[in-house]
Amino acid sequence: MNDGLKLKKATYHLWTFTISKLISSFGAQVYSFAISFYILQATGSATSFAANLICNILPRTLAAPFAGYLADQYSRKLIVVLSQVATTIAVGGLLLVSFITDLSLTAIYITSCILSITSMFSGVTFTSSVSGLVDEARVQRAMSLNQMSISFAAIASPAVGGLLYGAVSMQTFLIMYMIASCLAVVLESTMDFTLFANRKEKEIAGQKESMWVSIKAGIIYLKLQPILVTIVWISLLINFLFGAFEVGYSFILIEKMKMVSQRFGFTQGAFAVGMLLLSIYFSIRKEVRYPLLVSKWAIVGMGCVMAAVSFPLLVGLTSTSVFVFYLVIMFGLGALIIIVNTPLQVMLQKKIEDDFKGRIFSLLETMAMALMPLGMVLYGFLYDLFPAQWILLLSASLFIGVVLVLARPSVIRKAHPEIAEPNAEKGRNVPTTVRM
């Protein structure tokens, strides 16, 4: 295939990938919004809400190594398509249960586990395939467009969910998700996942590695990359501490502030708007020069936002003031998450060899989420026992402390040696002005 045709196909992949993510994300987020409200209003318990979050996280953590192995050993296109088909079947099963009997927490939890696993296989494989779908010059744009599609869906889905919740049946939400999933399957089946791939041929009989040998090789490769190890430790600890926000935010707004579903939906939409605007910015700007440094300070910003969530619990505000405050908070958080993720994702896409991407991305996700189930359980109990504001303030302080220690200046200089190098100007050494 000539270069001109390959670039045309890469452009097609950019938009097909974006639209597919937009459609599937919209269905998933409308479903998630409705289920979260259903559980909290039916039980009024932060523990029950946290249990559903665990069902979304624990299976992903356990399945990630298998997803990485399959993504590096088998057809990535086949894995993505089959994962989306499995998602459609799982939602259809819950729809069938809802017609036969009333929805139970058990049925919801089981479905959440299945959807968690299918999204893991699809997500890891898609992430591993970005450099095979588009040319190297457009990797950052592809990652940004992916975030944009998720953001568009996140803007619309809470608003739609908030308006429809209580006005239509839960079956309507499930049918919407099924339709979106089916459309995503059709789009994904038209993509060529090997267009720019640089993978070694592994289909020769006797050449395919066993799963354990393959995973072990991925671990060894990871250990040889000290910056990746640092990213793993940061992800492990901050995702555990971010459980304070994951559980506390919905619990505070719905149970403590008694915010109506429409307003809650708009705060979620503000989060998506922040993600969207920063995704657009990254899609048109040059690559970030110092991705780990930029991500470090964005994570510190996230810690400040986490602490700020407790403010209305400490100071009396009107319901309108509370609503506006959380709109601003969620907008800022959405923007910061993109500033953290996009530069790091581009750096990893270019730093990790194609043959190891599935295993490395799955190992990174496994380690990032390893403590999240424990965090969900812990914070679910803590919010039922102690004042929410003090839980958030303590967790935010630890959150900021972790990144300042693990991403200290010496580590940043290892990731970006050019920061420490003096710039020659008229024969003199000029010290760098980059702040770490």
Side-chain angles (χ1 to χ4, degrees):
M1 185 183 298
N2 62 55
D3 290 342
L5 184 57
K6 288 180 72 173
L7 290 175
K8 286 183 180 179
K9 291 201 71 173
T11 302
Y12 170 78
H13 286 160
L14 274 175
W15 297 111
T16 305
F17 177 69
T18 301
I19 295 170
S20 170
K21 282 290 185 180
L22 173 63
I23 293 171
S24 59
S25 296
F26 177 80
Q29 292 185 45
V30 169
Y31 166 82
S32 178
F33 181 93
I35 288 296
S36 296
F37 247 93
Y38 180 85
I39 291 173
L40 282 171
Q41 290 193 335
T43 66
S45 170
T47 303
S48 297
F49 177 74
N52 189 56
L53 292 178
I54 292 170
C55 290
N56 280 292
I57 295 169
L58 183 59
R60 290 177 63 91
T61 306
L62 298 176
F66 302 99
Y69 165 73
L70 293 176
D72 283 341
Q73 297 291 325
Y74 297 95
S75 167
R76 290 174 178 172
K77 178 177 180 178
L78 181 63
I79 294 170
V80 168
V81 172
L82 289 179
S83 297
Q84 200 66 53
V85 170
T87 296
T88 308
I89 295 172
V91 177
L94 186 61
L95 178 63
L96 183 61
V97 169
S98 71
F99 281 123
I100 298 173
T101 62
D102 289 335
L103 285 177
S104 65
L105 288 179
T106 301
I108 292 172
Y109 292 159
I110 291 172
T111 304
S112 294
C113 288
I114 296 172
L115 295 179
S116 173
I117 293 171
T118 58
S119 66
M120 159 57 69
F121 276 87
S122 177
V124 167
T125 308
F126 248 136
T127 302
S128 305
S129 303
V130 169
S131 58
L133 291 167
V134 300
D135 52 297
E136 184 176 337
R138 289 189 279 186
V139 169
Q140 177 167 297
R141 190 180 182 194
M143 303 306 298
S144 299
L145 287 173
N146 176 43
Q147 291 291 342
M148 284 173 59
S149 64
I150 295 172
S151 302
F152 271 121
I155 292 169
S157 58
V160 171
L163 292 172
L164 292 181
Y165 190 82
V168 300
S169 66
M170 185 59 68
Q171 286 90 340
T172 301
F173 287 100
L174 296 177
I175 291 171
M176 289 174 64
Y177 193 4
M178 285 187 66
I179 293 172
S181 185
C182 288
L183 290 173
V185 170
V186 173
L187 290 172
E188 289 160 2
S189 64
T190 66
M191 301 168 71
D192 181 1
F193 282 66
T194 62
L195 186 62
F196 292 94
N198 187 27
R199 301 174 67 187
K200 295 176 183 178
E201 184 60 51
K202 296 184 179 181
E203 302 302 325
I204 302 173
Q207 293 297 309
K208 199 174 291 296
E209 297 174 331
S210 68
M211 184 174 68
W212 171 244
V213 171
S214 179
I215 293 174
K216 186 178 178 180
I219 294 172
I220 293 172
Y221 180 88
L222 178 64
K223 287 181 177 179
L224 295 174
Q225 308 288 332
I227 300 306
L228 294 184
V229 174
T230 297
I231 293 172
V232 165
W233 278 107
I234 292 174
S235 299
L236 180 71
L237 296 174
I238 68 170
N239 277 291
F240 168 75
L241 294 168
F242 200 65
F245 176 87
E246 293 282 354
V247 176
Y249 181 77
S250 297
F251 180 68
I252 289 169
L253 267 65
I254 296 172
E255 286 299 309
K256 298 296 184 182
M257 299 295 175
K258 304 299 181 183
M259 186 175 288
V260 297
S261 63
Q262 289 84 355
R263 283 191 168 186
F264 181 77
F266 280 117
T267 66
Q268 297 290 87
F271 172 81
V273 171
M275 292 181 66
L276 174 62
L277 293 180
L278 265 293
S279 297
I280 293 173
Y281 170 70
F282 278 113
S283 71
I284 60 177
R285 66 152 286 161
K286 295 180 180 179
E287 287 186 19
V288 173
R289 189 175 181 185
Y290 307 118
L292 189 58
L293 178 61
V294 170
S295 296
K296 168 188 173 177
W297 291 112
I299 293 172
V300 171
M302 288 174 61
C304 295
V305 168
M306 187 194 304
V309 171
S310 65
F311 183 73
L313 295 174
L314 299 170
V315 179
L317 297 174
T318 65
S319 60
T320 300
S321 297
V322 169
F323 173 57
V324 173
F325 176 80
Y326 283 119
L327 280 177
V328 175
I329 284 293
M330 291 301 282
F331 175 87
L333 182 62
L336 288 167
I337 285 177
I338 297 300
I339 297 173
V340 172
N341 289 340
T342 302
L344 283 182
Q345 287 174 348
V346 175
M347 183 179 78
L348 295 176
Q349 284 288 340
K350 296 190 173 184
K351 187 177 182 67
I352 301 171
E353 293 179 23
D354 208 10
D355 279 325
F356 285 92
K357 282 182 178 175
R359 282 164 289 178
I360 298 304
F361 281 121
S362 66
L363 286 170
L364 287 171
E365 184 153 354
T366 298
M367 295 303 294
M369 297 189 303
L371 293 181
M372 287 184 72
L374 176 61
M376 296 300 178
V377 172
L378 175 62
Y379 285 113
F381 283 117
L382 289 177
Y383 278 113
D384 283 336
L385 295 175
F386 300 104
Q389 59 268 33
W390 304 120
I391 296 172
L392 280 168
L393 289 172
L394 177 60
S395 298
S397 299
L398 293 172
F399 187 95
I400 294 171
V402 163
V403 71
L404 291 178
V405 172
L406 293 180
R408 56 194 177 276
S410 60
V411 173
I412 298 295
R413 283 192 290 269
K414 288 180 181 178
H416 308 299
E418 62 273 25
I419 291 178
E421 292 177 358
N423 297 313
E425 182 181 334
K426 297 181 180 180
R428 296 183 294 111
N429 287 340
V430 181
T432 179
T433 58
V434 176
R435 181 167 175 256
M436 292 179 288

